Amino acid sequence: DTAVSQTPKYLVTQMGNDKSIKCEQNLGHDTMYWYKQDSKKFLKIMFSYNNKELIINETVPNRFSPKSPDKAHLNLHINSLELGDSAVYFCASSQDARTDTQYFGPGTRLTVL
Amino acid sequence: QKEVEQDPGPLSVPEGAIVSLNCTYSNSAFQYFMWYRQYSRKGPELLMYTYSSGNKEDGRFTAQVDKSSKYISLFIRDSQPSDSATYLCASPSSTGKLIFGQGTTLQVKP
């Protein structure tokens, strides 16, 4: 009974390619997030959606585009991948935008060659 | 200066030791503090949550907040090899973002 799931778990691709990462939560939460964790384990928020609406959009290149088809899903599409995009991407969810307890998915390890 | 700072370690201790993990923060507006634990190749999971100065205890874990010095600590008593993980402190900003420290990697050796 995975609460927050992500696919794929690993993604290895060439520079310049376009890729997507999918996230689903079965907790009934209203708010979902995308985080990037770099090689030094620094975890930084990229986007947040509340009930399919974008509420946090950090300074992230336009090549990153989140999409939330419904409140249980938040996908991340990345265009023209660059070497610096290599990281672990975590999806998370919380009850609502005012609840601080966030539940994280297992992460997607992206390697750009 | 990052809003939440941690020494990344690694910190290596023998089994049974008392572990002290620390964070400092710069934003006086931070009111709530959390500790997340992240095992290797896994997502972070919430370990403890505090919203005031003082101590909060949960089993072998004690979270301490000193707002006057902007210092957050997590103590682990009788540490076990299963405690080996990266520990991240975090606080929600006024805009609703969770601001994480870099995390401290702990290894408890049997």
Side-chain angles (χ1 to χ4, degrees):
Chain A
D1 286 0
T2 307
V4 182
S5 59
Q6 294 178 228
T7 53
K9 197 164 183 178
Y10 298 96
L11 192 49
V12 181
T13 188
Q14 300 286 334
M15 261 193 335
N17 284 350
D18 303 339
K19 290 292 178 186
S20 290
I21 308 171
K22 295 188 176 182
C23 178
E24 177 181 359
Q25 55 94 4
N26 62 6
L27 296 167
H29 287 169
D30 285 344
T31 308
M32 295 184 73
Y33 311 81
W34 276 112
Y35 285 86
K36 179 181 180 181
Q37 189 172 46
D38 62 24
S39 57
K40 293 185 178 177
K41 301 267 184 158
F42 193 53
L43 192 64
K44 190 163 184 212
I45 191 165
M46 301 171 69
F47 303 102
S48 173
Y49 271 73
N50 186 61
N51 228 343
K52 301 194 296 176
E53 279 194 41
L54 182 66
I55 55 171
I56 293 176
N57 185 354
E58 287 298 282
T59 309
V60 175
N62 291 339
R63 300 181 293 102
F64 290 80
S65 52
K67 276 197 171 54
S68 182
D70 55 62
K71 72 175 193 177
H73 295 85
L74 180 61
N75 304 323
L76 183 66
H77 188 75
I78 316 169
N79 289 328
S80 303
L81 278 154
E82 300 177 357
L83 292 176
D85 297 333
S86 295
V88 182
Y89 292 84
F90 286 100
C91 177
S93 73
S94 62
Q95 183 68 48
D96 52 51
R98 300 184 66 82
T99 305
D100 305 316
T101 303
Q102 296 183 15
Y103 296 82
F104 284 79
T108 295
R109 187 172 293 270
L110 171 65
T111 303
V112 182
L113 303 174
Chain B
Q1 182 192 11
K2 292 189 169 65
E3 289 186 276
V4 179
E5 301 221 41
Q6 284 182 265
D7 184 339
L11 180 62
S12 183
V13 300
E15 185 175 351
I18 296 174
V19 176
S20 171
L21 303 166
N22 307 299
C23 280
T24 57
Y25 64 96
S26 58
N27 191 334
S28 300
F30 285 172
Q31 297 293 314
Y32 306 88
F33 304 93
M34 300 140 181
W35 283 96
Y36 278 81
R37 178 175 59 196
Q38 184 177 17
Y39 289 115
S40 181
R41 306 262 170 175
K42 301 284 186 187
E45 55 178 345
L46 183 65
L47 189 61
M48 293 194 73
Y49 184 118
T50 59
Y51 63 93
S52 60
S53 285
N55 294 353
K56 181 176 180 181
E57 196 172 314
D58 184 1
R60 296 183 295 109
F61 298 88
T62 300
Q64 192 174 75
V65 178
D66 181 348
K67 287 186 177 175
S68 61
S69 56
K70 298 192 183 70
Y71 203 78
I72 314 159
S73 300
L74 179 70
F75 298 97
I76 308 174
R77 289 185 300 281
D78 187 25
S79 56
Q80 303 294 310
S82 59
D83 296 328
S84 298
T86 296
Y87 291 81
L88 303 114
C89 60
S91 185
S93 70
S94 57
T95 57
K97 296 185 300 185
L98 257 189
I99 309 296
F100 282 89
Q102 188 177 347
T104 300
T105 299
L106 170 68
Q107 185 180 27
V108 181
K109 294 185 174 177

